[in-house]
Amino acid sequence: MAFTVGAMAAGSVYLLLSHNLVRVLFGLILLSNAANFVIFSAGGMVEGAPPLIAKGARDLAGVHANPLPQALILTAIVISFGLLAFALVLVYRTYQELGTIDSDRMRLAEPPYDDQDIPEPENPHRIHVRDAARRVGNRVDNRMSANGSDPA
Amino acid sequence: MLSAILGIFAWAVIAPIVARRWPRHAGWVLAIPPAFLTVWFASFVPGIAAGEAVREVTPWIPGLGVNLSFYLDGLSVTFALMICGIGALIVVYSGGYLRGDAMLPRFFLFILAFMGSMLGVVLADNVIALIVFWELTSVTSFLLIGYLHDSPQSRRSALQALLVTSLGGLIMMAGLILLGIVGGGFELSELADRGGFLREHPYYTAILFLILAGAFTKSAQFPFHFWLPNAMDAPTPVSAYLHSATMVKAGIYLMARLAPTLGGTEAWTLTLVTVGSITAVLGAVLAVRQTDLKRILAYTTITALGQLTMLIGIGGTYALETFTVYLLAHACYKGALFMGVGAVDHETGTRQVGELGGLLRLMPVTAAAIGLAALSNAGLPPFLGFIGKEFMYSSTLGLAEDGGMPALGWVVTAAMVVSNALMMVTAGLVFIKPFLGARTETPKAAHEAPIGLWLGPIVLAAAGLGLGVFHGELERLLVAPVAASLAGRPMEVHIYLWGGLTPPLWLSVATVALGIVLYLGWPRVKAGFDGVAAALRYDSDRGWDGFLKGLVKLAAAQTRVIQSGYLRHYVMFTITFTTVAIAATMVAFDALTAPSLMELDAPYTAWALALIVLTATAAAVLATSRLVAILSLGVVGVVIALIFLLYGAPDVAITQFMVETLVVIIVALVLARLPRLTAFARPNRRSALRDAVISIAFGAVVTALMLSVIDLPIPLDLSDFFASRSLTEGFGRNVVNVILVDFRAVDTLGEVLVVTTAGLGAFSLLKARPKRARRESPEDADATSSQQDGKPSVIEQNGDRP
């Protein structure tokens, strides 16, 4: 089991490190599965004995699967689904706006350093990342100087 | 004592209201509580002189040994008297000095808050409380130094003072906490009894130097002396209060307070005496180079602080007596000089030595105050300053003759003679030049200052004289108790003006002679020192600027590397760090576990499932087709669900099935509108290889972690709790469900909220469409959007709607 989980984690990290945001999303899916699996197996694995209290009994008798990790995983699955849905829409909308799903070309929030070379977007109809970045930067500068503070 | 401190803080809050209501008399009104506290503290003096220290404890965080405990002995009562007494005079003085200043109400708030913090520092018995008050003095002094906040110079000085003192404060905090841990308690009065143990402890050196870093920065000891003269950008009342009597003496206080705990070792004596002497001489040399009266005083303050540090370092009866006498003498004359110089500045409009002269007749009271204070400063009899100087020589000679460090003793004695002679020169510069000699034209027509401005100086100057003359009472009431606090045991002390024709007296005579010679040759002396300074080409102030600039550059360079702006770099750093941290921890704690046989012993179904997961993972990672990738991920999810089912988790399995199905469908739908996976493949084999190495390392660490966790016995307390209470208290037979909706219902509610928020976020993202986008070209988008809302979403798009 440990090796399986390890392989899943390795695969997800490899995907997360990709330029391609869709691959990053895949990495996210794989990583949450791996994490759930980790929690599950760390809680001890008992075959074929769900934590259900038998009729007539007052509590769990005999060897049973550990109910606590199961409860945690249930929460985790749902949350990671929410995260994935949001991330998916985010990637999709980003693609619509910026015309790329290459994370290297998304530099609006962090404009490129002067010596960094950002590849041009593959679609010439869409906006130039560097221009967009500069424009956001200018806007911030304008605002700051309008507020009377020194942008430097 | 807690109520005294809190009272001052409360008064500080009320002060702006008072100052607004009665702007003309605010100083007088606001000085009442500090004056009252002076009397109140004075009422303790006879008891303390009789050997009764007062201790007061209010538990604060008793679990951590943090108490608001206060301790009143000779040392702290002396400081408290200085803080409240001089404080009251300063408040009166500020009312006159800053009359009509629009920010005066705020000033009173700051200075009273500072007074409260300072009282806290000297009264606190608990180390943590001391640190809190110490930092409060740094913050309030920052506000006071930067009082003229529209001047860039003033802001820079305030920031410099704050950075230097709080940097030292942080280092000191480490030292004090270490002291508390090693000493087994955070009460200073208790730690004083464990001095012998602490001095032998292997951590002693670390504790000593960490704490001294705080004391030296606060008390402007070399090489941290540069912030003090810059702090003179503050209004004069601030300089007079913070930089003569109180804040800069906080470091001195701390060293004195810890003298019985940490003092007496070779490291202690050597460090304090050396640093103190260097500071004293440096301050005096720099002082005579100045022509601005206030800056002269600032540098002589550095000299005095150096001498005090040196005296603590020497220890022994003479030095401790001298310490007390000199402490009081300095507080009196320096406070008086600062306030007097402020009055001169206020009435004439200048503080330059060359522009002032013949003021004696115009400002007789101020002249008297400055004159008396200057005589004490110069160390002439019968002033307190004289006694201080005499005894200082006795102490250094003592160090030379029977203190075990003859060479150091002689050097220090020489240093003291030089610095005291230079002090005389400055006293002359401050008194003789402006008040005697020919009248000069000043920017403002000079006339006597109002009573508010001369009351403080004259009272303090007279105190310097009175204490010198009536030194018998002083000896009994203050000097002996302070010396006892420093030595950690009762002390026999004896101070006198005339001790016969002893070596110290001859040194005094030599000092006076040297002082007169230097004063007469002042222009040449100044030129000489200026020449030396120019030759050295070193300036601590500029050094500090360089340090700050270097720090900013380092930060920028570091940001440039860590925050490259590439998302995958961030992921890479995070993962790599986590991997290394976990691996290092596991190696360090020897937690690596070989795969047990249980792992191989799994049933064939588990083997089969594991194999499917591995294959599907590999497919998902390597797939170039979107469909293959998403289907492989689906397979992984489904197999995980099967494992859940197999190992007794049907609820989890059902959820997993549902979610996994949804994921595959939704992702497949969206993917159809996104570019192929082959787009933006890794640019070259090298980065692919690097990523692979990182991933495999991470996978290996996860595996190792799992192996070691599985080997451990599982703590089942919580599970058993749920198992036994599920039916009886939660009324459900499915334990997992009961946990979710009953025991951890709030958690589940939070989960529902998270999913709802994610849904809402996704929905609004899909709905949000920039309306103006299509009309604008990039150029005018810039102009219009900056005028309007400036949303960063104004970007051209090609209009393919889903």
Side-chain angles (χ1 to χ4, degrees):
Chain A
M1 287 305 153
F3 290 98
T4 318
V5 172
M8 284 170 73
S12 67
V13 168
Y14 188 77
L15 287 169
L16 280 176
L17 286 171
S18 164
H19 291 239
N20 188 323
L21 280 185
V22 173
R23 279 175 182 266
V24 174
L25 277 185
F26 290 168
L28 212 58
I29 300 176
L30 199 54
L31 191 62
S32 52
N33 271 329
N36 291 341
F37 199 15
V38 166
I39 302 175
F40 190 68
S41 41
M45 290 170 77
V46 178
E47 218 176 331
L52 300 173
I53 298 171
K55 230 174 196 160
R58 281 182 57 81
D59 57 4
L60 282 178
V63 179
H64 278 276
N66 192 345
L68 191 60
Q70 294 191 20
L72 293 178
I73 296 167
L74 269 174
T75 311
I77 291 177
V78 178
I79 299 254
S80 55
F81 177 64
L83 174 70
L84 175 75
F86 185 75
L88 189 66
V89 172
L90 200 59
V91 169
Y92 174 60
R93 287 287 294 141
T94 313
Y95 178 63
Q96 281 188 330
E97 293 291 342
L98 298 179
T100 181
I101 50 166
D102 180 358
S103 66
D104 278 12
R105 292 174 214 220
M106 297 175 183
R107 297 302 291 269
L108 283 169
E110 287 177 83
Y113 293 95
D114 289 334
D115 56 336
Q116 270 182 351
D117 200 23
I118 303 298
E120 295 297 320
E122 72 285 2
N123 187 339
H125 295 299
R126 300 187 191 238
I127 195 153
H128 281 217
V129 176
R130 197 181 271 274
D131 281 351
R134 199 167 292 144
R135 225 180 306 148
V136 171
N138 287 342
R139 220 174 283 150
V140 172
D141 287 355
N142 289 341
R143 279 230 197 136
M144 287 181 82
S145 43
N147 292 342
S149 54
D150 185 5
Chain B
M1 277 173 269
L2 179 62
S3 45
I5 295 168
L6 290 180
I8 287 286
F9 276 118
W11 190 238
V13 175
I14 301 168
I17 304 168
V18 176
R20 257 188 218 112
R21 191 95 172 69
W22 299 285
R24 296 186 65 81
H25 306 291
W28 297 96
V29 178
L30 289 171
I32 296 170
F36 169 75
L37 280 183
T38 315
V39 178
W40 188 68
F41 280 118
S43 71
F44 283 97
V45 168
I48 290 169
E52 299 161 11
V54 186
R55 190 157 176 274
E56 218 183 77
V57 183
T58 312
W60 186 8
I61 317 172
L64 297 174
V66 179
N67 296 311
L68 281 174
S69 53
F70 298 100
Y71 187 62
L72 201 62
D73 65 348
L75 183 66
S76 41
V77 84
T78 307
F79 271 91
L81 282 173
M82 291 198 304
I83 290 162
C84 294
I86 299 181
L89 294 173
I90 292 282
V91 170
V92 170
Y93 180 82
S94 323
Y97 188 85
L98 293 169
R99 168 165 297 172
D101 192 307
M103 295 188 293
L104 188 60
R106 191 187 306 177
F107 179 83
F108 283 124
L109 167 65
F110 293 163
I111 202 142
L112 286 167
F114 172 79
M115 195 185 294
S117 325
M118 201 59 215
L119 267 183
V121 169
V122 299
L123 294 178
D125 193 30
N126 189 282
V127 169
I128 307 295
L130 178 101
I131 295 169
V132 171
F133 286 117
W134 182 282
E135 294 300 327
L136 275 175
T137 64
S138 289
V139 173
T140 44
S141 77
F142 167 75
L143 294 170
L144 284 167
I145 297 171
Y147 174 69
L148 303 168
H149 55 72
D150 37 11
S151 136
Q153 176 66 29
S154 182
R155 289 201 299 268
R156 173 181 180 270
S157 303
L159 194 62
Q160 188 183 50
L162 180 70
L163 286 177
V164 174
T165 54
S166 59
L167 193 70
L170 278 178
I171 301 174
M172 179 196 77
M173 184 163 99
L176 283 176
I177 289 176
L178 197 59
L179 173 73
I181 292 170
V182 171
F186 284 102
E187 305 295 317
L188 288 167
S189 52
E190 290 167 16
L191 284 167
D193 299 334
R194 293 177 203 148
F197 166 73
L198 282 163
R199 282 189 288 268
E200 296 296 313
H201 200 272
Y203 288 167
Y204 170 75
T205 321
I207 295 174
L208 177 65
F209 285 105
L210 289 172
I211 293 177
L212 285 184
F216 283 178
T217 47
K218 197 83 164 180
S219 286
Q221 296 297 301
F222 176 82
F224 308 110
H225 59 280
F226 52 88
W227 69 264
L228 184 62
N230 287 335
M232 294 298 133
D233 292 327
T236 300
V238 176
S239 314
Y241 192 41
L242 270 66
H243 309 124
S244 69
T246 52
M247 185 175 95
V248 292
K249 296 240 174 89
I252 302 288
Y253 166 79
L254 186 70
M255 288 187 270
R257 175 55 81 207
L258 291 174
T261 317
L262 300 173
T265 60
E266 198 165 314
W268 168 275
T269 308
L270 211 59
T271 313
L272 262 60
V273 171
T274 314
V275 172
S277 308
I278 294 177
T279 311
V281 175
L282 186 74
V285 168
L286 291 172
V288 294
R289 284 185 56 203
Q290 308 298 321
T291 53
D292 179 327
L293 287 176
K294 228 172 129 182
R295 287 190 92 84
I296 295 179
L297 293 179
Y299 281 108
T300 57
T301 306
I302 294 181
T303 301
L305 294 170
Q307 292 176 335
L308 286 170
T309 305
M310 179 210 74
L311 288 170
I312 300 175
I314 294 176
T317 316
Y318 267 126
L320 298 183
E321 276 177 71
T322 320
F323 170 77
T324 323
V325 173
Y326 196 59
L327 182 75
L328 288 168
H330 177 256
C332 290
Y333 75 68
K334 193 53 63 66
L337 286 176
F338 264 120
M339 287 196 266
V341 163
V344 169
D345 183 18
H346 199 261
E347 302 308 324
T348 64
T350 180
R351 300 194 301 245
Q352 291 298 319
V353 173
E355 297 176 15
L356 293 164
L359 291 174
L360 180 61
R361 223 169 284 161
L362 297 168
M363 305 177 70
V365 187
T366 312
I370 292 190
L372 290 175
L375 287 173
S376 187
N377 184 12
L380 296 174
F383 290 91
L384 204 50
F386 173 74
I387 305 181
K389 194 177 49 161
E390 286 288 281
F391 277 75
M392 195 186 297
Y393 290 141
S394 304
S395 319
T396 55
L397 287 175
L399 184 68
E401 279 161 3
D402 45 39
M405 297 184 187
L408 185 68
W410 289 116
V411 172
V412 169
T413 307
M416 287 308 115
V417 171
V418 172
S419 57
N420 281 328
L422 289 169
M423 289 280 257
M424 271 195 71
V425 177
T426 61
L429 289 176
V430 172
F431 178 64
I432 300 177
K433 290 255 179 206
F435 289 97
L436 308 177
R439 277 277 314 268
T440 53
E441 282 301 309
T442 49
K444 270 159 82 179
H447 55 80
E448 183 52 79
I451 178 172
L453 287 188
W454 56 252
L455 180 77
I458 200 87
V459 168
L460 285 178
L465 177 63
L467 291 175
V469 174
F470 301 104
H471 51 263
E473 288 301 295
L474 177 70
E475 172 192 308
R476 190 176 66 80
L477 290 175
L478 286 181
V479 177
V482 174
S485 307
L486 264 74
R489 59 182 150 63
M491 295 278 276
E492 242 349 275
V493 301
H494 184 55
I495 58 176
Y496 44 81
L497 275 168
W498 176 251
L501 295 172
T502 52
L505 186 73
W506 293 118
L507 282 174
S508 254
V509 172
T511 309
V512 173
L514 185 63
I516 292 171
V517 171
L518 288 175
Y519 177 73
L520 293 176
W522 176 62
R524 242 176 296 159
V525 172
K526 176 172 159 26
F529 285 148
D530 286 347
V532 173
L536 281 177
R537 279 204 218 147
Y538 176 72
D539 181 350
S540 302
D541 199 24
R542 238 172 289 152
W544 171 257
D545 280 351
F547 169 68
L548 281 189
K549 231 176 258 169
L551 206 62
V552 171
K553 255 190 208 153
L554 179 71
Q558 175 209 313
T559 311
R560 176 76 180 71
V561 171
I562 299 176
Q563 311 256 34
S564 61
Y566 293 120
L567 182 64
R568 59 204 167 78
H569 283 177
Y570 298 163
V571 176
M572 190 163 83
F573 288 137
T574 315
I575 297 283
T576 314
F577 180 78
T578 314
T579 310
V580 172
I582 297 179
T585 315
M586 290 187 72
V587 172
F589 288 91
D590 210 18
L592 287 173
T593 317
S596 64
L597 285 176
M598 243 177 66
E599 187 80 7
L600 303 171
D601 216 20
Y604 70 97
T605 37
W607 276 103
L609 292 174
L611 207 64
I612 300 173
V613 169
L614 289 176
T615 319
T617 305
V621 171
L622 300 174
T624 47
S625 149
R626 286 170 287 184
L627 203 60
V628 171
I630 189 64
L631 283 178
S632 313
L633 285 173
V635 169
V636 173
V638 167
V639 174
I640 300 278
L642 281 176
I643 295 176
F644 288 151
L645 197 59
L646 199 61
Y647 286 94
D651 302 286
V652 185
I654 291 165
T655 316
Q656 173 83 2
F657 272 128
M658 263 164 49
V659 165
E660 212 51 54
T661 316
L662 275 174
V663 166
V664 170
I665 293 171
I666 296 174
V667 173
L669 281 176
V670 176
L671 278 193
R673 297 189 166 274
L674 291 175
R676 293 174 179 284
L677 288 180
T678 41
F680 335 113
R682 286 176 172 75
N684 51 42
R685 293 183 77 91
R686 252 187 67 209
S687 69
L689 189 68
R690 182 196 60 198
D691 290 354
V693 168
I694 295 174
S695 318
I696 290 168
F698 182 70
V701 163
V702 170
T703 306
L705 203 59
M706 283 298 297
L707 286 174
S708 67
V709 167
I710 288 172
D711 234 31
L712 292 174
I714 303 160
L716 286 172
D717 321 3
L718 259 181
S719 306
D720 287 342
F721 170 84
F722 290 130
S724 60
R725 306 288 171 94
S726 171
L727 187 63
T728 49
E729 290 179 19
F731 305 104
R733 290 181 183 279
N734 185 334
V735 182
V736 176
N737 285 3
V738 174
I739 292 178
L740 280 175
V741 299
D742 196 320
F743 292 117
R744 297 171 55 84
V746 181
D747 213 37
T748 307
L749 184 70
E751 170 198 339
V752 172
L753 271 176
V754 168
V755 174
T756 316
T757 315
L760 282 175
F763 180 73
S764 53
L765 263 181
L766 284 172
K767 279 286 170 191
R769 297 228 157 244
K771 287 190 177 118
R772 288 166 291 121
R774 210 168 294 188
R775 283 183 284 115
E776 292 163 353
S777 69
E779 278 76 20
D780 55 30
D782 192 4
T784 44
S785 62
S786 60
Q787 284 160 7
Q788 292 172 5
D789 56 3
K791 264 191 210 153
S793 56
V794 187
I795 285 161
E796 265 201 315
Q797 56 172 61
N798 64 357
D800 54 342
R801 306 182 77 90

